[in-house]
């Protein structure tokens, strides 16, 4: 892991790299994001996880450009994360963009071709689904009484 001075130097290098590549990042961005904001949030996330400063600058830039292409803000509302991985084969640490479930939900919503519902199905709920050419999902939350009865029945059986 890098020392404090090495992290400061790496931070300056990454910020410099992002500044020189802002035009490329801007071309990849959807209308709702700016390159300045994306770069700022990425550097903030890197400050939270200093191991990211050990990553190759190329992998950091590639992850940020991928976030831009997908319209994800790194570290904002769980849309996407920058994660350092050590590549044993190449003997270097690389940065990878890992989309969060909120990012996938946002991406699907923006595509407009599907819908996403997120929530929990608990014991006592009615839950039924059908796959195929006419998919259907039905979920009716049960009452507390129904849920406790279902739990009692499960533990008794």
């Amino acid at each position: 892991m890098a020392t404090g001075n090495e992290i400061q130097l790496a931070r300056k290098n990454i910020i410099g790299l992002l500044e020189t590549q802002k035009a490329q990042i801007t071309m990849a961005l959807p209308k709702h994001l700016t390159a300045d904001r994306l770069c700022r949030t990425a550097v903030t996330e890197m400050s939270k996880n200093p191991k990211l400063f050990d990553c190759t600058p190329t992998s950091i830039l590639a992850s940020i450009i991928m976030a831009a292409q997908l319209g994800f803000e790194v570290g904002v509302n769980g849309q996407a994360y920058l994660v350092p991985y050590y590549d044993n084969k190449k003997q270097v640490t690389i940065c990878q963009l890992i989309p969060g479930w909120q990012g996938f939900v946002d991406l699907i919503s923006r595509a407009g071709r599907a819908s996403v519902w997120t929530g929990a199905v608990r014991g006592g709920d009615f839950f039924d689904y059908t796959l195929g050419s006419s998919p259907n999902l039905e979920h009716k939350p049960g009452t507390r009484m129904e849920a406790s009865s279902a739990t009692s029945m499960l533990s008794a059986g």
Side-chain angles (χ1 to χ4, degrees):
M1 179 138 162
T3 65
N5 288 339
E6 290 172 331
I7 289 174
Q8 288 296 84
L9 181 61
R11 180 184 164 97
K12 286 181 183 177
N13 288 339
I14 293 300
I15 292 171
L17 176 65
L18 294 176
E19 285 295 324
T20 62
Q21 297 297 316
K22 268 195 185 164
Q24 289 296 109
I25 294 169
T26 300
M27 288 191 316
L29 282 169
K31 291 180 177 122
H32 72 278
L33 281 176
T34 67
D36 284 331
R37 178 169 170 82
L38 184 66
C39 292
R40 220 176 17 259
T41 58
V43 171
T44 299
E45 286 306 299
M46 293 176 68
S47 296
K48 291 179 186 176
N49 184 355
K51 287 184 180 182
L52 286 164
F53 289 109
D54 294 337
C55 296
T56 64
T58 305
S59 68
I60 293 169
L61 182 62
S63 294
I64 292 170
I65 288 177
M66 187 179 298
Q69 290 171 335
L70 294 169
F72 293 159
E73 290 186 83
V74 176
V76 176
N77 296 327
Q79 289 185 5
Y81 305 93
L82 296 177
V83 180
Y85 285 99
Y86 188 73
D87 184 335
N88 286 320
K89 204 179 242 184
K90 295 180 182 175
Q91 301 289 301
V92 295
T93 302
I94 57 169
C95 177
Q96 288 193 341
L97 179 75
I98 305 293
W101 69 267
Q102 296 93 330
F104 283 122
V105 169
D106 185 51
L107 193 61
I108 291 167
S109 297
R110 282 188 275 127
R113 290 183 278 175
S115 63
V116 176
W117 174 82
T118 59
V121 177
R122 295 182 170 84
D125 290 1
F126 173 80
F127 182 79
D128 190 31
Y129 68 96
T130 306
L131 300 176
S133 58
S134 298
N136 184 45
L137 172 71
E138 188 175 356
H139 174 230
K140 293 179 185 172
T143 63
R144 286 187 170 225
M145 182 69 78
E146 290 170 346
S148 62
S149 296
T151 304
S152 300
M153 289 171 44
L154 288 173
S155 59

